[in-house]
Amino acid sequence: MTVSAQRRIYHIPDLPGYVTLKCDFHSHTVFSDGYVWPTNRIDEAWRDGLDAIAITDHIEYQPRKAYIPTDYNAAWKIAGARAVGRNIILVHGAEITRSMPPGHLNALFITDADSLNKPDFMKVIETAINQGAFIQWNHPGWKAQEPDGIPKFYPVHKELIARGWLHGIEYYNDQEFYPLVMDMCRENGLAVIGNSDIHDVISETFPAPAYTHRPMTLVFAKERTPESLREAMFAGRTAVWYGNSLAGFEEYVAPLFRSAVTAGAPFRDDGKSIWFELSNNSDLPMELTGGPEGAPAEITLPASGMVIVKADRRFLDEPMTYSVSNIITGTNTVLKAEIRPAAN
Amino acid sequence: MTVSAQRRIYHIPDLPGYVTLKCDFHSHTVFSDGYVWPTNRIDEAWRDGLDAIAITDHIEYQPRKAYIPTDYNAAWKIAGARAVGRNIILVHGAEITRSMPPGHLNALFITDADSLNKPDFMKVIETAINQGAFIQWNHPGWKAQEPDGIPKFYPVHKELIARGWLHGIEYYNDQEFYPLVMDMCRENGLAVIGNSDIHDVISETFPAPAYTHRPMTLVFAKERTPESLREAMFAGRTAVWYGNSLAGFEEYVAPLFRSAVTAGAPFRDDGKSIWFELSNNSDLPMELTGGPEGAPAEITLPASGMVIVKADRRFLDEPMTYSVSNIITGTNTVLKAEIRPAAN
Amino acid sequence: MTVSAQRRIYHIPDLPGYVTLKCDFHSHTVFSDGYVWPTNRIDEAWRDGLDAIAITDHIEYQPRKAYIPTDYNAAWKIAGARAVGRNIILVHGAEITRSMPPGHLNALFITDADSLNKPDFMKVIETAINQGAFIQWNHPGWKAQEPDGIPKFYPVHKELIARGWLHGIEYYNDQEFYPLVMDMCRENGLAVIGNSDIHDVISETFPAPAYTHRPMTLVFAKERTPESLREAMFAGRTAVWYGNSLAGFEEYVAPLFRSAVTAGAPFRDDGKSIWFELSNNSDLPMELTGGPEGAPAEITLPASGMVIVKADRRFLDEPMTYSVSNIITGTNTVLKAEIRPAAN
Amino acid sequence: MTVSAQRRIYHIPDLPGYVTLKCDFHSHTVFSDGYVWPTNRIDEAWRDGLDAIAITDHIEYQPRKAYIPTDYNAAWKIAGARAVGRNIILVHGAEITRSMPPGHLNALFITDADSLNKPDFMKVIETAINQGAFIQWNHPGWKAQEPDGIPKFYPVHKELIARGWLHGIEYYNDQEFYPLVMDMCRENGLAVIGNSDIHDVISETFPAPAYTHRPMTLVFAKERTPESLREAMFAGRTAVWYGNSLAGFEEYVAPLFRSAVTAGAPFRDDGKSIWFELSNNSDLPMELTGGPEGAPAEITLPASGMVIVKADRRFLDEPMTYSVSNIITGTNTVLKAEIRPAAN
């Protein structure tokens, strides 16, 4: 027996000492307000080359209940066997669905979603924490709940942080991103997260060729196991891959960039300029801007692509410094990277 | 300055000790019966991720001469500067174009194509050989010249071989392949070659998605230099990538397969069967057939794809042997490959 | 408000006096063994350019009942409002799911699916008939029920026909077709039907570019209304469009071909041959074979495509007769068509 | 014999009394600074569904002359036979290539391009006029010649107009458009023209899916003949189709819009609002903006697509007026169009 549908293999480098796990920690099924059966989420994850997903049906929002009796663990039970068969890590989860504040939060790595159905919000979080949960604040700038679109910590969030009960925030959700989340996470030791929050069919919501991949969280884990995944998330070793951009702290995205982008030795030298190949061995395109005098002002490196760079001979001895405008490292910062041709 | 059009990066593994160069040693321009200017052949090669090409306009067939005076070195001169700018190895070549026998032969790595314009065929070859040429017999089963489509050595070819003046034969040309060439090359120490023989626009002749790449010769060279390329071709370290197939001698294609196809450790074991992931890290799909009892009879591994294999537990201790039906190693043979899950 | 997702407009000609309705009378949801919520079937139909669909969840097969209580009319109720909003004709249906004989049959245009849940098969059909149902025999050669793959009338089917209780048979289902159904329908006055029998996501089951459309039944109706649709089906005015083929009785497919394929006047005449354009104004490719002496033996006319035909001058005065090998008119027959250039 | 490569059939409506001819009046070959052989331009035109093209190699710019002796009629002679075989109207042309003013001008419908090789510009034009030429001013805002990018009439152009020696101006060329050309043409009775000015391979310069078609001039001719084409151009019955936009005078684009966009009868009416289908039967997408109160503010109608419009019931009695923002009728104006649902 082989699984016949193709699994997409994305070329995203591992970091030294870590494997890069591709994850989506926010999805829905017919057991809340989604449109597909739980096993479909596993099949989608298989095709999309993911290592781990969470199904996070709403606790407090059950619009299908006239037809489908509430069972908060149903999706987990139904999808579990399929996940085992496809070697996908299925994270047990649920979306605690309140008005803002506190808004919506996912409890991940829980053991019983039914236990989260109670009125007192802090009790719910405590219950999840007692199950070992990673608590993720979802779409904090969602205009349906936060009309100005600006994520902000309310007292309840500060209380969660103070107790160590908040572990990550969605920088990206569905089609939206929230720049402030980068610094909110940095300042509070939280993980930067990005998810699809998929309700409908993933391939129709993020269709090719407009999308080359769904939004996802990259987790830099010691191994590809549920335990390592969980450890890495609590340690905040994450980045978000969405559209043609990557958002993550410099300590993770800088080595990722260095693994992905390689320069060849100069193949031509006319005494004034050198020419060398610059390759991108990843599926993440790279947009280099702000190049120095005597080098290209901008370099667009397509996914799995190569360009030829012409530059002054002085760059045989000193690096060219660029801003990587599509790798976001903070609310107001992007990655700085040095390019230098290989030695001949 | 950067070259903006994307260069396609094909994932074809290097062999231990060698780099895999992607080459096309047969193409035409308006300087014989082709339809494009010579620089286009370099631009196409750049986009197609090739390392080396030869432009091989016909010596004896000059249908454009009412408009374009014959100049056998013109394409070489015109394309040369562009090749330098794109870091493409441009092999100086020409196609000696006779009726069968001897048929059409490419002289590659020559220094002056004008010198090949003389009536006596053996003198022409001798002249090329004196320039250091690699002599390649083109489309030996082309029905326009060999009505039964069966390549065969005529006395003139045997004479060339006896003198050491024949070095390779096209197993693949344009849209045709000639199975007998595998054994003809094996028995005579010749290189197996495959080329596009492009006359028109390459992207329109081998259009996506029907074609993922043009037909090409893979050359396993010590380095990416003209000298190493030439050394590898004379040493016969080649294979042909065409459509979804690869043709080459076992000593080259077996390690290529082993680099491309990797098995994970079993992720599931029910006491009777094991399940493991089988990945193809190359752009060459793999068709495994003739699997043993207790394992899948057939496995289709898409390019850059992954499947899950279920097999008896006994395959923890012994390999599964398959025929790789799309990797041709001889006129009547395909690659045999062993698959075994990684250790846990 | 506009519906933003694109609706595909297929170019399939109307017949004189009729509009061609594109229909799929066989689909499933989570309310039997399908994988999507009922509204998705409407959204898919909208995008796929369909005029009418039936959701036909199984009566006797309810594998989700541990999670979703049986409600045979649920999908109809849920999808109804969406169908109204999208101007899709939603046919109320159910799949009576028995072992062979009688196998599986869809009751279409019913008013209450719950009433079909009773043990006695003939009573079930009688109940449906009393609701005005069109009874369609599904996948009669499905190997899970008919191991030799050959559809055959059992006594129960003959009894249904005798009573006027059988109105159509699936010639095509999912990925299979049953040639014998053409003559079985012809001899018994039944409609030829083709459906997707979709359980999963339609765009993933019939993905582009491998598929340009899902399998569907073309119904030649007086108007685009539920009543006209029903009238046409009982009258047997149908054809099946699947892959690159069309199956239907000659009285329907011949005028469709004549509307789709048009020949221009000769634009060139050298005294011996004429040249003219042959155009296909439909999304159905046409494969013409068996051409006469002095005309092309075969003509491939792509969807919305054009070719140039060169033929003897005598075809100014007499038609060229071809077999249209991809338009099936009976178990052993294909459409014969005459091609003649337009007058100058 | 049939031509096997597919000819694309674009759905662009004819106007009442006219057929819409798809034309490209500006292209180059190896006989000036192009990169392909002249027959390729005919093959490209066939595949692109064009009715007419002109090859317009430069008179004064002959960069290939070291290899290809100047012959201004060569491309015309070489491509002519192929045009006859493909039923493409090949317009004999040449590009008079001067610095600005006067810049570059195409002479179309000439009989001898060699005769245009003389120093005195007005003499050249006079010679062309005496051959019956249509004179088209090319890319009047090309920054290489007009640094501010703003097209302007110099005395020489006014002189041409005064003598009746200028008949059209390129509003669109390659990837650029010049808004002022709309009014410059309107005020002087000139035809609005748009061309590819292709030098390289058309399918690589305007690649799918980024481009669905090359830029082209639509000519509204009485018949599909060279004479009718010429008559229509001198009469100024043209429009330009480029990217997702159309530029032309209202008398031509308004009926084209009305043929392309059709509204169905309301299929739903809740006493307050109506719903109806709005279809686009053309390959030109339509961007409707500035909708009235009680109707959608914006409607995007994809090529060959359909949307559902919800609007107040009062629009049963009065039309909805929109600006069609991608149909340009003047330097500062776009088409105004009325939408009204069909009667029930």
Side-chain angles (χ1 to χ4, degrees):
Chain A
M1 184 223 65
T2 65
V3 172
S4 61
Q6 180 160 6
R7 178 159 160 90
R8 228 172 287 174
I9 308 277
Y10 288 111
H11 298 91
I12 299 290
D14 291 332
L15 301 194
Y18 299 112
V19 294
T20 300
L21 303 184
K22 299 166 200 87
C23 311
D24 187 352
F25 299 113
H26 196 164
S27 69
H28 296 273
T29 74
V30 295
F31 287 96
S32 63
D33 57 345
Y35 292 89
V36 304
W37 194 243
T39 52
N40 283 37
R41 294 290 176 229
I42 302 297
D43 293 348
E44 292 175 338
W46 160 264
R47 285 193 300 262
D48 285 0
L50 296 187
D51 296 287
I53 65 161
I55 298 177
T56 54
D57 279 313
H58 298 285
I59 297 291
E60 294 85 352
Y61 184 54
Q62 288 279 307
R64 313 262 188 266
K65 69 185 163 192
Y67 295 98
I68 304 182
T70 292
D71 177 348
Y72 295 118
N73 292 311
W76 162 255
K77 289 180 286 187
I78 292 166
R82 183 87 68 148
V84 168
R86 296 284 171 101
N87 200 22
I88 302 290
I89 299 172
L90 177 61
V91 173
H92 198 167
E95 184 166 15
I96 302 152
T97 308
R98 306 292 173 111
S99 52
M100 184 74 82
H104 296 194
L105 296 94
N106 279 357
L108 303 172
F109 301 101
I110 58 174
T111 56
D112 176 19
D114 272 332
S115 67
L116 306 186
N117 184 25
K118 41 186 130 189
D120 183 319
F121 172 73
M122 289 305 278
K123 289 272 190 222
V124 170
I125 297 296
E126 183 176 24
T127 303
I129 291 291
N130 288 339
Q131 294 177 20
F134 177 101
I135 304 294
Q136 159 196 296
W137 186 15
N138 300 338
H139 45 72
W142 184 36
K143 288 188 177 170
Q145 291 200 322
E146 192 64 275
D148 64 5
I150 299 175
K152 52 193 72 86
F153 287 127
Y154 288 86
V156 63
H157 303 115
K158 292 179 181 164
E159 174 70 17
L160 288 176
I161 290 171
R163 296 193 192 188
W165 289 3
L166 185 64
H167 311 107
I169 311 180
E170 281 186 345
Y171 165 83
Y172 193 90
N173 175 286
D174 188 5
Q175 322 255 359
E176 284 192 344
F177 64 99
Y178 312 105
L180 288 176
V181 168
M182 291 303 296
D183 286 357
M184 292 164 78
C185 285
R186 174 54 97 194
E187 289 157 13
N188 292 281
L190 307 178
V192 178
I193 306 282
N195 296 316
S196 69
D197 197 0
I198 185 71
H199 286 69
D200 213 305
V201 172
I202 200 96
S203 64
E204 297 182 342
T205 305
F206 302 98
Y211 290 86
T212 60
H213 62 97
R214 70 161 92 184
M216 65 180 77
T217 305
L218 304 179
V219 180
F220 309 105
K222 290 175 186 158
E223 295 183 280
R224 190 190 189 278
T225 63
E227 297 71 30
S228 282
L229 170 66
R230 190 173 174 281
E231 183 275 334
M233 288 178 70
F234 275 101
R237 294 198 304 274
T238 62
V240 179
W241 187 27
Y242 62 103
N244 285 335
S245 297
L246 185 72
F249 297 142
E250 189 182 352
E251 53 265 46
Y252 309 121
V253 297
L256 194 152
F257 177 88
R258 285 193 299 268
S259 292
V261 175
T262 57
F267 63 83
R268 191 177 163 205
D269 182 338
D270 68 359
K272 182 157 162 289
S273 297
I274 52 170
W275 284 256
F276 63 94
E277 296 173 343
L278 191 66
S279 298
N280 179 359
N281 312 302
S282 79
D283 281 335
L284 173 70
M286 303 291 178
E287 300 288 344
L288 311 186
T289 60
E293 189 71 27
E298 301 194 350
I299 299 177
T300 296
L301 256 178
S304 289
M306 173 192 280
V307 297
I308 290 174
V309 176
K310 174 188 177 186
D312 284 354
R313 291 192 88 256
R314 69 181 169 97
F315 294 111
L316 288 170
D317 302 312
E318 55 181 288
M320 293 171 266
T321 304
Y322 283 90
S323 294
V324 189
S325 63
N326 67 324
I327 300 190
I328 288 86
T329 55
T331 296
N332 294 301
T333 56
V334 299
L335 182 66
K336 296 283 179 188
E338 294 189 346
I339 302 290
R340 58 180 85 210
N344 258 313
Chain B
M1 184 222 66
T2 66
V3 173
S4 61
Q6 180 161 6
R7 179 161 160 90
R8 229 171 284 173
I9 307 278
Y10 288 110
H11 298 91
I12 299 291
D14 291 332
L15 302 194
Y18 299 112
V19 293
T20 299
L21 302 184
K22 299 167 201 87
C23 310
D24 187 351
F25 299 113
H26 196 164
S27 68
H28 296 273
T29 73
V30 294
F31 286 96
S32 62
D33 57 344
Y35 291 90
V36 303
W37 192 244
T39 52
N40 282 39
R41 294 293 175 228
I42 301 297
D43 293 348
E44 292 175 337
W46 161 264
R47 286 193 299 262
D48 286 1
L50 295 188
D51 297 287
I53 65 161
I55 298 178
T56 54
D57 280 313
H58 298 285
I59 297 290
E60 295 85 350
Y61 185 55
Q62 287 279 308
R64 312 264 189 264
K65 70 184 162 193
Y67 295 99
I68 304 181
T70 293
D71 177 347
Y72 295 118
N73 292 311
W76 163 254
K77 289 179 285 186
I78 293 166
R82 183 88 69 146
V84 168
R86 296 284 170 101
N87 200 19
I88 302 289
I89 299 172
L90 176 61
V91 174
H92 198 167
E95 184 167 16
I96 302 153
T97 307
R98 306 291 172 109
S99 51
M100 183 75 84
H104 296 194
L105 296 96
N106 279 358
L108 304 172
F109 301 102
I110 58 174
T111 56
D112 177 18
D114 273 332
S115 67
L116 305 186
N117 184 25
K118 41 187 133 188
D120 184 320
F121 172 73
M122 289 304 279
K123 289 274 189 220
V124 171
I125 298 296
E126 184 177 21
T127 303
I129 291 292
N130 288 339
Q131 294 176 20
F134 178 100
I135 304 294
Q136 160 195 297
W137 186 15
N138 300 338
H139 45 72
W142 184 34
K143 287 187 177 169
Q145 290 200 322
E146 193 63 275
D148 64 5
I150 299 176
K152 53 192 73 85
F153 286 128
Y154 288 86
V156 63
H157 303 114
K158 292 179 182 166
E159 174 70 17
L160 288 176
I161 291 172
R163 297 193 191 186
W165 289 2
L166 186 64
H167 311 107
I169 311 180
E170 281 186 346
Y171 166 82
Y172 193 91
N173 175 286
D174 188 7
Q175 322 256 357
E176 285 192 341
F177 63 99
Y178 312 105
L180 288 176
V181 168
M182 292 302 296
D183 287 357
M184 292 164 78
C185 285
R186 174 54 99 192
E187 289 159 13
N188 292 281
L190 307 178
V192 178
I193 305 282
N195 296 315
S196 70
D197 197 359
I198 185 70
H199 286 68
D200 214 307
V201 172
I202 200 95
S203 65
E204 297 183 341
T205 305
F206 302 97
Y211 290 86
T212 60
H213 63 97
R214 71 161 92 182
M216 65 180 77
T217 304
L218 305 178
V219 180
F220 309 106
K222 289 174 187 161
E223 294 183 280
R224 190 190 189 276
T225 64
E227 298 70 32
S228 282
L229 170 66
R230 191 173 173 279
E231 183 275 334
M233 288 178 70
F234 275 101
R237 294 198 305 273
T238 61
V240 179
W241 186 28
Y242 62 104
N244 286 335
S245 296
L246 185 71
F249 297 141
E250 189 181 353
E251 53 265 46
Y252 309 120
V253 296
L256 194 153
F257 177 88
R258 286 193 298 269
S259 292
V261 175
T262 56
F267 63 83
R268 191 177 163 205
D269 181 339
D270 68 0
K272 181 155 163 289
S273 297
I274 53 170
W275 283 257
F276 64 93
E277 296 173 343
L278 190 66
S279 298
N280 179 2
N281 312 304
S282 79
D283 280 335
L284 173 69
M286 303 290 178
E287 299 289 343
L288 311 187
T289 61
E293 191 69 29
E298 301 194 350
I299 299 176
T300 296
L301 254 178
S304 289
M306 175 193 279
V307 299
I308 291 173
V309 176
K310 175 189 177 185
D312 284 355
R313 292 191 87 256
R314 68 181 169 97
F315 293 112
L316 288 170
D317 301 313
E318 55 180 287
M320 293 171 267
T321 303
Y322 283 90
S323 294
V324 188
S325 63
N326 66 325
I327 300 190
I328 287 86
T329 56
T331 296
N332 295 301
T333 56
V334 299
L335 182 67
K336 296 283 178 188
E338 295 189 345
I339 302 291
R340 58 180 84 210
N344 257 313
Chain C
M1 181 223 67
T2 65
V3 173
S4 61
Q6 179 160 6
R7 177 159 160 92
R8 229 172 285 174
I9 307 278
Y10 288 111
H11 297 91
I12 299 289
D14 290 333
L15 301 194
Y18 299 111
V19 294
T20 299
L21 302 184
K22 300 167 201 86
C23 310
D24 187 352
F25 298 113
H26 196 164
S27 69
H28 296 273
T29 74
V30 295
F31 287 96
S32 62
D33 57 346
Y35 291 90
V36 303
W37 193 243
T39 52
N40 282 38
R41 294 292 177 228
I42 302 297
D43 293 348
E44 292 175 338
W46 160 265
R47 286 193 299 261
D48 285 0
L50 296 187
D51 297 287
I53 65 161
I55 297 177
T56 54
D57 279 314
H58 299 284
I59 297 291
E60 294 86 352
Y61 184 56
Q62 287 279 308
R64 314 261 187 268
K65 69 185 164 193
Y67 294 99
I68 305 182
T70 293
D71 177 347
Y72 295 118
N73 293 310
W76 163 254
K77 289 179 285 187
I78 292 165
R82 182 87 68 147
V84 168
R86 296 284 170 101
N87 200 20
I88 302 289
I89 299 172
L90 177 61
V91 173
H92 198 168
E95 184 167 15
I96 302 152
T97 307
R98 305 292 172 111
S99 52
M100 183 74 82
H104 296 194
L105 295 95
N106 278 358
L108 303 172
F109 301 103
I110 58 174
T111 56
D112 177 17
D114 273 333
S115 67
L116 306 186
N117 184 26
K118 41 187 132 190
D120 184 319
F121 172 73
M122 289 304 278
K123 290 273 190 221
V124 171
I125 298 296
E126 184 177 23
T127 303
I129 290 291
N130 288 341
Q131 294 177 20
F134 177 100
I135 304 294
Q136 159 196 296
W137 185 15
N138 299 338
H139 45 71
W142 184 36
K143 287 188 176 168
Q145 290 200 323
E146 192 62 274
D148 64 5
I150 299 176
K152 52 193 72 86
F153 286 128
Y154 289 85
V156 64
H157 303 114
K158 292 180 182 165
E159 175 69 17
L160 288 176
I161 290 172
R163 296 194 191 188
W165 288 4
L166 186 64
H167 311 107
I169 311 180
E170 282 186 346
Y171 165 82
Y172 193 91
N173 175 286
D174 188 6
Q175 322 255 0
E176 284 192 343
F177 63 99
Y178 312 105
L180 288 176
V181 168
M182 291 302 297
D183 286 357
M184 292 165 77
C185 285
R186 174 54 98 193
E187 289 159 13
N188 291 282
L190 307 178
V192 178
I193 305 281
N195 296 316
S196 70
D197 197 1
I198 185 69
H199 287 69
D200 214 305
V201 172
I202 199 95
S203 64
E204 297 182 342
T205 305
F206 302 98
Y211 291 87
T212 60
H213 62 97
R214 70 161 92 183
M216 64 179 78
T217 304
L218 304 178
V219 180
F220 309 106
K222 289 174 188 160
E223 293 183 281
R224 188 189 189 278
T225 63
E227 298 70 30
S228 282
L229 170 66
R230 191 174 173 280
E231 184 276 333
M233 289 178 69
F234 276 101
R237 294 198 304 274
T238 62
V240 179
W241 186 28
Y242 62 103
N244 285 335
S245 297
L246 185 72
F249 297 141
E250 188 182 353
E251 54 265 46
Y252 309 121
V253 296
L256 194 153
F257 177 88
R258 284 192 300 267
S259 293
V261 175
T262 56
F267 63 83
R268 191 176 163 205
D269 183 338
D270 68 0
K272 182 156 164 289
S273 297
I274 52 170
W275 283 257
F276 63 94
E277 296 173 344
L278 190 67
S279 298
N280 179 1
N281 312 303
S282 79
D283 281 335
L284 173 69
M286 302 291 177
E287 300 287 344
L288 310 187
T289 60
E293 190 70 28
E298 301 193 350
I299 300 176
T300 297
L301 256 178
S304 289
M306 174 191 280
V307 298
I308 291 174
V309 176
K310 175 189 177 185
D312 284 355
R313 291 192 88 254
R314 68 181 170 97
F315 293 111
L316 288 170
D317 303 312
E318 56 181 288
M320 294 170 265
T321 304
Y322 283 90
S323 295
V324 188
S325 63
N326 66 324
I327 300 189
I328 288 86
T329 55
T331 296
N332 295 301
T333 56
V334 298
L335 183 66
K336 296 283 178 188
E338 294 189 344
I339 302 290
R340 60 179 84 211
N344 257 313
Chain D
M1 184 222 65
T2 65
V3 173
S4 61
Q6 180 162 6
R7 178 160 161 90
R8 231 173 283 173
I9 308 277
Y10 288 110
H11 298 90
I12 298 291
D14 291 332
L15 301 195
Y18 299 112
V19 294
T20 300
L21 303 185
K22 299 166 199 88
C23 310
D24 187 351
F25 298 114
H26 197 164
S27 68
H28 296 273
T29 73
V30 294
F31 286 96
S32 62
D33 57 344
Y35 291 90
V36 303
W37 193 243
T39 52
N40 282 39
R41 294 293 176 226
I42 302 297
D43 294 349
E44 291 175 338
W46 160 264
R47 286 192 300 261
D48 285 0
L50 296 188
D51 296 287
I53 65 161
I55 298 178
T56 53
D57 279 314
H58 298 286
I59 297 290
E60 295 85 352
Y61 184 54
Q62 288 279 307
R64 313 263 188 265
K65 69 184 165 194
Y67 294 100
I68 304 182
T70 293
D71 177 347
Y72 295 117
N73 293 311
W76 163 255
K77 289 180 286 184
I78 292 166
R82 183 87 68 146
V84 169
R86 297 284 171 100
N87 200 20
I88 302 289
I89 298 172
L90 176 61
V91 173
H92 198 167
E95 185 167 15
I96 302 153
T97 308
R98 305 292 173 109
S99 51
M100 184 74 84
H104 296 194
L105 295 96
N106 279 357
L108 304 172
F109 301 102
I110 58 174
T111 57
D112 176 19
D114 273 332
S115 67
L116 305 186
N117 183 26
K118 41 187 130 187
D120 184 319
F121 172 73
M122 289 305 278
K123 289 274 189 219
V124 170
I125 298 296
E126 183 177 22
T127 301
I129 291 291
N130 288 340
Q131 294 176 20
F134 178 101
I135 304 294
Q136 159 196 295
W137 185 16
N138 300 337
H139 44 71
W142 184 35
K143 288 189 178 167
Q145 290 199 323
E146 193 63 275
D148 64 5
I150 300 176
K152 53 192 72 84
F153 286 128
Y154 288 85
V156 63
H157 302 114
K158 292 180 182 166
E159 174 70 17
L160 288 175
I161 291 171
R163 296 193 192 187
W165 289 3
L166 186 64
H167 310 108
I169 311 180
E170 282 186 346
Y171 166 83
Y172 193 91
N173 174 286
D174 188 7
Q175 322 255 358
E176 284 192 342
F177 64 99
Y178 312 105
L180 288 176
V181 168
M182 291 302 296
D183 286 358
M184 292 165 78
C185 285
R186 174 55 99 194
E187 289 158 14
N188 293 282
L190 307 178
V192 179
I193 305 282
N195 296 314
S196 70
D197 197 0
I198 186 70
H199 286 68
D200 214 306
V201 172
I202 200 96
S203 64
E204 297 183 341
T205 305
F206 301 98
Y211 291 86
T212 61
H213 62 96
R214 70 161 93 183
M216 66 180 77
T217 305
L218 305 179
V219 181
F220 309 107
K222 291 176 185 158
E223 294 183 280
R224 189 189 190 276
T225 63
E227 298 71 30
S228 282
L229 171 65
R230 190 172 173 281
E231 183 276 333
M233 288 178 71
F234 276 101
R237 295 199 304 275
T238 61
V240 179
W241 186 28
Y242 62 103
N244 286 335
S245 297
L246 185 72
F249 297 141
E250 189 182 353
E251 53 266 46
Y252 309 120
V253 297
L256 194 153
F257 177 88
R258 286 193 298 270
S259 292
V261 175
T262 56
F267 62 83
R268 192 176 163 206
D269 181 339
D270 68 0
K272 181 155 163 290
S273 299
I274 52 169
W275 284 256
F276 63 94
E277 296 172 344
L278 191 65
S279 298
N280 179 0
N281 312 302
S282 79
D283 281 335
L284 173 70
M286 303 290 178
E287 300 288 344
L288 310 186
T289 60
E293 190 70 26
E298 301 194 350
I299 300 177
T300 296
L301 256 178
S304 288
M306 175 192 280
V307 298
I308 291 173
V309 177
K310 175 189 178 185
D312 283 356
R313 290 191 90 256
R314 68 181 170 97
F315 293 112
L316 288 169
D317 302 313
E318 55 180 287
M320 294 171 266
T321 303
Y322 283 91
S323 294
V324 188
S325 62
N326 66 325
I327 299 189
I328 288 85
T329 55
T331 295
N332 295 301
T333 57
V334 299
L335 182 67
K336 296 282 178 189
E338 294 190 345
I339 302 290
R340 58 180 85 209
N344 256 313

